[in-house]
Amino acid sequence: MTIEIELKFIATPQAADRLGSQLAAWPHQYSAPVALTNIYYETSDNQLRRWDMGLRIRGIGDRYEMTLKAAGQTIGGLHQRPEYNVDLTQPELDIARLPAEIWPAGTDTQALQQQLKPLFTTHFNRERWLVTYGNSEIEVALDRGEVSAGAFSEPLQEVELELKQGELADVLALAAELGREEGLRLGSLSKAARGYWLAQGKPAQLIRPLPILHVKPRATVEEGMQAAFSLAMKQWQYHEELWLRGEPAAQKNVLEALETIRQTFSLFGALVPRKASNQLRQKLTCLIETLEAGRQDASSFCYSPAWLDAQLTFSSWLIAAGWRPFVDAKNSARLQGSFKRFADIMLGRVAADLKETFGTVRQHNEYLDKLARLSRQLLAVHLLAGAYPQHEVESWLLPWQQLAQAIHANRYNELDALCRQALKQPAFWLNGNV
């Protein structure tokens, strides 16, 4: 088994064409394009997908290799997954040759083998550069071809940076160098994810409201903060894909995801000083201000250096836990405390702030002035309330959401009644009398 660490980009044709000249700035070994064919396998009920596994046979000239990628972690465009490779003499699936311990307990591998069928394919030419950068050797691969499933296909144009030897920080730094010019964006979807979508007949992908964040039992404050940032990043990249596929309404959800990141900074601001994230917050603010200024062209904006720089900076900061060098001993200990207890305290403060903000409204124009504050506090509740029954949380949120919608729609005759209803909501969290 190896742990594959890759950073993936989607590239425009222009960015792909200039990649070689960019990489010439560093010592490297070049490998000419090689044609690769990959067949991905799955059961009729998508069992591997439900296990977060991917299984393929790759043909490279007259050589074949079976690869299984197991569940891993994706932050931004950085993919870290256990990978198992087996050389084959023929392009015939034989999962018995994979280690038995990789399968969930009780798996009948013989029965699974019989159920596995080809689902989709990828065909592409791969150019490679083995680059020496900093203290590391990084393989840069350029893949150009297509993903196909039945009658559906989609062009494939990706740049992958894989750490062969050295430090992850060098991968991120090289990515930042390549991203100084237009035409690259982080690829949150793997080739397999795109293939599954095509195999399902390209189903419509819907706008996804920010869910209530659920963290693992007995999570620390720091783990809760990391989970909140990761959720915001997933929302950002999910709606980026929708926006680029022609869903203009997704731009609003991209903006909400960026605001969720800013609200997470605010929630944990007493423990993580502002100087830990000054540069990152400035970059996020520039994106937010541009999006708020009016409708942008998705393609030019999402492939811009500023967009990529903000995502890379955020991913790097999150992966490297960039706040830790700035946190003193006292707050470091608090970050290892109970997230549940922290969330209860902060939910009480959110409720108190809403009561103070809306308890004294006298004129209708005051509601509009307070809408941004209300929106931020509702984001906070989504990030803090995961330990409680979802129906209780949603019941508490509903009148506040209705108030926000009425303010936005200028339904002045409804505002006072909705405000009174929201303020009367009983607390669903512990220590609800705060």
Side-chain angles (χ1 to χ4, degrees):
M1 181 193 75
T2 59
I3 300 295
E4 181 186 54
I5 301 177
E6 289 184 338
L7 191 64
K8 296 178 182 287
F9 295 103
I10 308 298
T12 63
Q14 295 82 2
D17 288 342
R18 69 167 178 264
L19 180 62
S21 60
Q22 285 183 284
L23 293 173
W26 300 283
H28 67 273
Q29 300 173 21
Y30 174 70
S31 298
V34 175
L36 302 180
T37 297
N38 301 276
I39 304 172
Y40 287 78
Y41 292 81
E42 184 54 280
T43 65
S44 59
D45 61 352
N46 288 343
Q47 180 61 76
L48 296 184
R49 189 68 167 165
R50 287 186 281 119
W51 285 337
D52 196 15
M53 291 181 170
L55 179 65
R56 74 176 184 223
I57 290 179
R58 168 170 288 176
I60 312 169
D62 59 356
R63 295 193 304 108
Y64 302 96
E65 182 181 66
M66 177 174 62
T67 297
L68 183 135
K69 294 187 180 184
Q73 180 183 14
T74 299
I75 298 177
L78 184 74
H79 302 252
Q80 301 179 71
R81 302 188 72 178
E83 180 178 284
Y84 303 84
N85 298 297
V86 177
D87 290 329
L88 302 173
T89 56
Q90 298 292 331
E92 298 175 357
L93 201 63
D94 185 4
I95 65 172
R97 298 185 60 188
L98 292 164
E101 65 270 14
I102 68 176
W103 305 108
T107 299
D108 184 340
T109 54
Q110 288 186 344
L112 180 61
Q113 169 88 39
Q114 294 175 356
Q115 297 170 38
L116 289 165
K117 306 295 179 186
L119 184 64
F120 59 90
T121 62
T122 63
H123 303 276
F124 54 88
N125 289 324
R126 168 169 287 182
E127 288 181 81
R128 293 183 300 153
W129 296 260
L130 185 61
V131 179
T132 301
Y133 185 91
N135 298 315
S136 304
E137 285 192 348
I138 302 165
E139 182 180 88
V140 181
L142 172 61
D143 296 339
R144 293 199 255 198
E146 68 174 13
V147 185
S148 303
F152 298 103
S153 65
E154 190 173 76
L156 178 69
Q157 201 149 252
E158 293 184 350
V159 177
E160 297 181 357
L161 278 63
E162 181 177 355
L163 180 63
K164 292 297 186 180
Q165 178 179 318
E167 304 168 5
L168 177 57
D170 286 334
V171 177
L172 295 165
L174 177 57
E177 295 270 12
L178 297 177
R180 295 186 191 280
E181 297 188 55
E182 293 183 356
L184 294 177
R185 67 181 182 88
L186 286 179
S188 58
L189 296 179
S190 65
K191 294 180 179 72
R194 296 167 69 182
Y196 273 98
W197 179 66
L198 292 174
Q200 293 165 3
K202 301 175 67 172
Q205 295 173 288
L206 304 177
I207 296 293
R208 187 170 65 191
L210 182 70
I212 295 169
L213 173 65
H214 294 274
V215 300
K216 68 180 184 180
R218 295 184 292 280
T220 66
V221 175
E222 184 174 50
E223 288 170 333
M225 179 179 71
Q226 290 170 304
F229 281 130
S230 295
L231 174 62
M233 183 59 147
K234 289 176 182 177
Q235 288 289 107
W236 181 357
Q237 293 192 298
Y238 176 84
H239 291 99
E240 173 187 334
E241 292 286 343
L242 264 62
W243 190 19
L244 285 162
R245 290 183 183 275
E247 176 50 77
Q251 181 179 338
K252 178 182 176 182
N253 293 78
V254 169
L255 181 57
E256 181 187 68
L258 295 173
E259 290 287 5
T260 303
I261 296 172
R262 291 212 300 190
Q263 185 60 19
T264 303
F265 281 123
S266 177
L267 282 175
F268 296 89
L271 304 178
V272 177
R274 290 180 63 85
K275 62 184 178 182
S277 58
N278 276 335
Q279 184 184 45
L280 170 57
R281 284 185 291 102
Q282 289 171 5
K283 293 176 180 181
L284 293 172
T285 297
C286 287
L287 292 187
I288 289 171
E289 290 176 348
T290 304
L291 287 169
E292 287 179 335
R295 192 162 298 280
Q296 305 295 319
D297 174 69
S299 184
S300 60
F301 197 48
C302 294
Y303 283 97
S304 69
W307 182 272
L308 178 58
D309 184 36
Q311 284 194 345
L312 277 174
T313 302
F314 183 39
S315 296
S316 302
W317 189 82
L318 189 54
I319 292 164
W323 56 89
R324 287 180 182 165
F326 299 89
V327 177
D328 61 27
K330 183 177 179 180
N331 284 332
S332 181
R334 289 177 175 173
L335 283 171
Q336 300 313 306
S338 165
F339 176 69
K340 168 66 167 56
R341 174 58 181 158
F342 172 86
D344 284 338
I345 293 170
M346 297 306 294
L347 284 166
R349 292 179 181 175
V350 167
D353 180 79
L354 289 174
K355 184 176 180 179
E356 179 181 354
T357 301
F358 288 93
T360 58
V361 174
R362 295 292 180 265
Q363 297 180 4
H364 288 164
N365 62 353
E366 293 181 56
Y367 284 105
L368 187 59
D369 295 337
K370 300 175 186 298
L371 178 58
R373 191 179 193 90
L374 172 58
S375 298
R376 290 194 298 269
Q377 296 294 34
L378 294 183
L379 292 178
V381 174
H382 280 80
L383 300 176
L384 295 167
Y388 292 92
Q390 186 153 330
H391 70 276
E392 293 184 14
V393 180
E394 291 175 348
S395 177
W396 188 91
L397 283 169
L398 182 59
W400 289 110
Q401 292 168 334
Q402 291 174 332
L403 175 61
Q405 292 164 4
I407 297 171
H408 188 75
N410 297 321
R411 300 200 304 268
Y412 299 116
N413 60 320
E414 302 176 29
L415 297 180
D416 290 342
L418 287 172
C419 185
R420 288 193 297 270
Q421 182 183 358
L423 288 168
K424 288 191 294 186
Q425 287 293 103
F428 60 83
W429 58 91
L430 293 179
N431 305 311
N433 61 336
V434 177

